[in-house]
């Protein structure tokens, strides 16, 4: 079920099946010759994002080792789930474990943005010993209520746009506080990562709007205590990236995270909110240093 090769691209497509019959997609970046013995890096995007979020970072990391960019169900080229109540972190964990087991990957590092970082922590808790390093991009076991409410307000909403420029302008209106320094070229780039062209020629967000359904269930406002899952990362190299303008991960929570684990480091990315794209120079330098600390085999 591994996939077609396109010599113009830096990755191969890979498709696998979830336990409940959803066809899922990942991009595989092969890494350099001789890197097969090194634990690969598994990238997992945020709630409304897809594999294109890593289109710049993945080739950078693949200079040293194999990189796998998973798309959660309902995003990008992964199929939509029949049951919207499966759009929850524990299901994403099961889906990712199915991929890793099919590829016979025992040990791996993770780079997770927002939701992807939550899945990383849950993997550490449920798959002890398998994670050898983790980047948590603007996420942690304590999340700010105001930011969560902002996300709930826009996820699943919105219609279509007639052109990429219109779509970029609409996307910038929603996210100007996140990337206040962006110009139209930046907005076009990030809009093309997060949106797709329909067969009818319209531009729409590239995810199933039903991913919002579990977020709107009553009674879940209190959440669960994720500190045990975070601390399950243990003594592996952990990099915490925080957007300096983030309304999801507070500065205090990020510093608390550093204090809780022996090999956790914090890099604050100036001028961005939730979440850094990891294309920023400070983020890229911190990730490069984190990769250097990963085990070679």
């Amino acid at each position: 079920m591994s996939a077609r090769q396109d010599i113009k691209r830096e990755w191969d497509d890979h498709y696998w099946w979830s336990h409940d019959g959803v066809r899922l997609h990942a991009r595989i970046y092969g890494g350099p010759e001789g890197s097969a013995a090194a634990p690969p890096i598994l990238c997992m995007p945020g709630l409304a994002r897809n594999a294109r979020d890593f289109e710049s970072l993945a080739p950078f990391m693949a200079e040293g080792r194999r990189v796998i960019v998973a798309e959660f169900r309902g995003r990008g080229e992964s199929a939509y789930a029949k049951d919207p109540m499966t759009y929850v972190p524990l299901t994403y964990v099961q889906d990712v474990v199915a991929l890793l087991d099919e590829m016979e990957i025992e040990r791996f590092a993770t780079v997770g943005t927002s939701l992807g970082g939550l899945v990383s922590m849950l993997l550490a808790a449920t798959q002890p010993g398998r994670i050898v390093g983790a980047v948590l991009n603007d996420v942690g076991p304590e999340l700010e209520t105001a930011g969560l409410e902002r996300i709930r307000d826009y996820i699943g909403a919105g219609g279509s746009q007639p052109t990429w420029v219109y779509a970029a302008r609409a996307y910038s209106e929603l996210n100007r506080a996140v990337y206040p320094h962006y110009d139209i070229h930046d907005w076009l780039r990030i809009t093309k990562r997060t949106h797709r062209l329909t067969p009818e020629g319209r531009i729409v967000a590239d995810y199933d709007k039903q991913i919002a359904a579990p977020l709107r269930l009553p009674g879940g406002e209190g959440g669960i205590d994720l500190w045990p899952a975070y601390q399950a990362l243990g003594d592996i190299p952990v990099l915490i990236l925080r957007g300096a303008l983030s309304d999801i991960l507070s500065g205090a929570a990020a510093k608390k995270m550093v204090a809780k684990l022996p090999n956790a480091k914090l890099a604050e990315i100036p001028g961005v909110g939730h979440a850094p794209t990891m294309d920023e120079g400070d983020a890229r330098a911190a990730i490069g240093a984190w990769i250097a600390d990963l085990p070679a085999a």
Side-chain angles (χ1 to χ4, degrees), residues 56-119:
S56 175
L57 179 62
F60 166 77
M61 296 192 297
E63 292 174 5
R65 59 183 67 211
R66 184 166 48 147
V67 175
I68 302 162
V69 184
E71 289 186 315
F72 295 134
R73 56 177 60 205
R75 286 85 162 173
E77 293 186 48
S78 286
Y80 291 7
K82 292 181 180 178
D83 179 4
M85 290 302 116
T86 64
Y87 289 131
V88 293
L90 287 176
T91 304
Y92 304 140
V93 169
Q94 293 172 350
D95 290 347
V96 168
V97 170
L99 168 64
L100 295 166
D101 289 348
E102 178 183 288
M103 296 183 69
E104 299 182 343
I105 294 169
E106 181 57 34
R107 299 165 72 243
F108 55 94
T110 63
V111 177
T113 295
S114 195
L115 170 62
L118 296 179
V119 173

Side-chain angles (χ1 to χ4, degrees), residues 71-227:
E71 289 186 315
F72 295 134
R73 56 177 60 205
R75 286 85 162 173
E77 293 186 48
S78 286
Y80 291 7
K82 292 181 180 178
D83 179 4
M85 290 302 116
T86 64
Y87 289 131
V88 293
L90 287 176
T91 304
Y92 304 140
V93 169
Q94 293 172 350
D95 290 347
V96 168
V97 170
L99 168 64
L100 295 166
D101 289 348
E102 178 183 288
M103 296 183 69
E104 299 182 343
I105 294 169
E106 181 57 34
R107 299 165 72 243
F108 55 94
T110 63
V111 177
T113 295
S114 195
L115 170 62
L118 296 179
V119 173
S120 293
M121 290 187 284
L122 292 171
L123 283 167
T126 60
Q127 304 288 313
R130 294 186 74 175
I131 297 183
V132 301
V135 175
L136 302 177
N137 185 22
D138 212 61
V139 69
E142 286 183 16
L143 304 176
E144 296 296 291
T145 302
L148 293 174
E149 288 300 325
R150 175 179 63 83
I151 290 171
R152 285 193 186 100
D153 285 345
Y154 77 75
I155 287 295
S160 64
Q161 298 292 337
T163 69
W164 283 109
V165 170
Y166 274 95
R169 287 175 177 162
Y171 196 63
S172 72
E173 289 174 8
L174 270 179
N175 294 282
R176 194 173 302 281
V178 178
Y179 307 110
H181 64 285
Y182 271 19
D183 61 23
I184 186 60
H185 302 289
D186 297 314
W187 288 115
L188 278 168
R189 184 180 67 253
I190 199 168
T191 300
K192 288 184 177 182
R193 287 182 178 181
T194 56
H195 291 65
R196 63 180 173 86
L197 181 67
T198 70
E200 296 75 30
R202 304 288 292 187
I203 312 297
V204 298
D206 195 8
Y207 64 84
D208 181 1
K209 290 187 176 182
Q210 289 300 309
I211 67 171
L215 300 176
R216 299 195 172 126
L217 290 176
E221 294 81 1
I224 60 173
D225 181 7
L226 286 171
W227 279 107

